[in-house]
Amino acid sequence: MSSKEVSEDHEDWDVDISAEMSSSLDRFHRFITDPTKCKTILALVGAGLSAASGLPTFRGSGGYWRKYNSIDLATPDAFYSNPGLVWQFYAHRRHMALNAEPNDGHNALAKLSHVKGINFLTISQNVDGLSQRGGQDPQTLLEFHGSLFELQCTEFSCSYVEKNNFEDPLTGSLDLQNFGSKNHPLPSLEIDQLPHCPRCRKGLLRPGVLWFGESLPLQAVDKADEFIVRNGVDLILVIGTSRTIWPAASYVDIVKNQGGKIAIFNTERDELESSEDCNSWQFIGDCAKTLPLALAPLIK
Ligand SMILES: [Zn+2]
């Protein structure tokens, strides 16, 4: 596709495009549609992508949960000292995620995952399952922080893991619909009211998410490293996350050192990439709008 055709196509999209963004888009489209230059794309996805689906970040879980901090709710210690409270928090987050819908940004990445001739991998820091529900090829998705919809047995001698459990509520005692307001505080739950392992029958199940103080899943990190080394990344998309936060920061550096280019999709300008040069782009705005626009020539 020529850049002229791409430019004319902008008129069909229902998004305000400044002249600056239009020229930036043309340059981006020329790059991603040149198969000699752009064969391998790595996407780093953070909470900003799901914010566009109305999902709050961990800190913004709101309402009843505002009085707790991450140490109370998202650490192994919190789980062992008050598994009922931690399960109630995750039951709430599962419910919120299941009531959100994948947005056009998720859908654009899902389409990209099925484009022939492009090596594509997404490293997601989100646990909400929206990329998967948006139809992304699971082979192209690494969930570095786990998933709200995975359950793991905590019994040392048991390795039971259940993926893609979308039941809501997970158990009768975790049905929180009528609780959590001022007049209806959450009930205290006994251990036997919480989900237990169907295999060993004694272990308590926990959410398969990465808690503060835990290590990234080695298998996923290895897969990401292998992808980067084997293919050499031509373009890294940093979506809804700050590129200064680990591990995004380290992947950006690796790709830059390989000679790859970077495109940032965020609501705020990244000052580290102060001005656009021929190796970088910044698309400022709602990723649910900017991503489909930017990827349009590949995913149409
Ligand atoms: Zn078990």
Side-chain angles (χ1 to χ4, degrees):
M1 181 183 287
S2 75
S3 60
K4 183 161 182 295
E5 284 167 322
V6 170
S7 301
E8 285 166 354
D9 280 350
H10 291 179
E11 290 160 19
D12 302 336
W13 290 318
D14 185 23
V15 176
D16 288 337
I17 299 173
S18 64
E20 182 196 350
M21 184 162 166
S22 183
S23 103
S24 185
L25 261 180
D26 284 342
R27 189 166 61 81
F28 187 73
H29 286 170
R30 277 196 299 277
F31 177 69
I32 61 172
T33 51
D34 183 342
T36 65
K37 291 183 179 156
C38 186
K39 290 191 286 281
T40 299
I41 301 176
L42 176 66
L44 297 176
V45 170
L49 181 60
S50 293
S53 286
L55 265 192
T57 59
F58 180 92
R59 299 221 173 271
S61 290
Y64 182 84
W65 299 103
R66 202 170 293 141
K67 62 186 174 191
Y68 296 101
N69 63 36
S70 53
I71 306 295
D72 301 320
L73 299 170
T75 64
D77 281 352
F79 187 70
Y80 291 113
S81 63
N82 195 345
L85 178 73
V86 173
W87 256 122
Q88 284 167 327
F89 176 60
Y90 283 95
H92 166 73
R93 294 189 66 196
R94 283 168 64 100
H95 183 73
M96 299 278 289
L98 286 172
N99 280 281
E101 293 296 330
N103 61 53
D104 290 345
H106 294 107
N107 296 337
L109 293 177
K111 285 182 188 164
L112 185 58
S113 76
H114 295 286
V115 171
K116 294 210 165 34
I118 297 274
N119 300 313
F120 178 58
L121 183 73
T122 292
I123 295 173
S124 177
Q125 298 166 50
N126 297 343
V127 295
D128 51 45
L130 289 181
S131 292
Q132 184 192 1
R133 282 172 53 210
Q136 180 152 355
D137 174 358
Q139 298 295 324
T140 67
L141 181 62
L142 297 177
E143 293 174 310
F144 265 32
H145 291 183
S147 168
L148 292 171
F149 304 102
E150 183 177 311
L151 307 172
Q152 298 168 351
C153 181
T154 55
E155 183 68 26
F156 183 71
S157 56
C158 180
S159 56
Y160 179 78
V161 174
E162 181 180 345
K163 290 182 186 288
N164 302 325
N165 177 314
F166 295 106
E167 283 172 51
D168 182 42
L170 185 56
T171 64
S173 60
L174 290 175
D175 184 354
L176 306 179
Q177 291 220 43
N178 299 317
F179 296 102
S181 68
K182 235 181 191 172
N183 298 329
H184 296 90
L186 290 172
S188 291
L189 297 179
E190 302 297 327
I191 291 278
D192 60 9
Q193 292 175 284
L194 299 176
H196 277 73
C197 176
R199 184 185 291 164
C200 68
R201 306 246 165 227
K202 57 180 178 176
L204 188 59
L205 293 177
R206 60 164 277 183
V209 296
L210 186 77
W211 280 331
F212 293 97
E214 294 184 316
S215 309
L216 290 176
L218 201 58
Q219 215 185 355
V221 175
D222 283 349
K223 272 191 184 171
D225 289 347
E226 192 198 315
F227 176 87
I228 292 166
V229 170
R230 187 181 64 227
N231 300 295
V233 176
D234 301 309
L235 173 67
I236 185 166
L237 311 174
V238 180
I239 302 162
T241 181
S242 165
R243 82 155 192 83
T244 56
I245 294 176
W246 192 86
S250 61
Y251 287 113
V252 168
D253 289 343
I254 291 168
V255 169
K256 281 187 159 182
N257 288 338
Q258 283 185 336
K261 298 178 191 288
I262 174 172
I264 297 174
F265 298 81
N266 219 334
T267 48
E268 285 169 19
R269 185 168 290 279
D270 187 323
E271 296 306 331
L272 277 177
E273 302 285 336
S274 54
S275 59
E276 291 203 353
D277 54 34
C278 59
N279 293 314
S280 73
W281 293 268
Q282 291 210 45
F283 298 107
I284 314 295
D286 179 350
C287 338
K289 290 186 176 145
T290 53
L291 260 180
L293 200 56
L295 298 175
L298 288 179
I299 63 177
K300 259 185 195 159

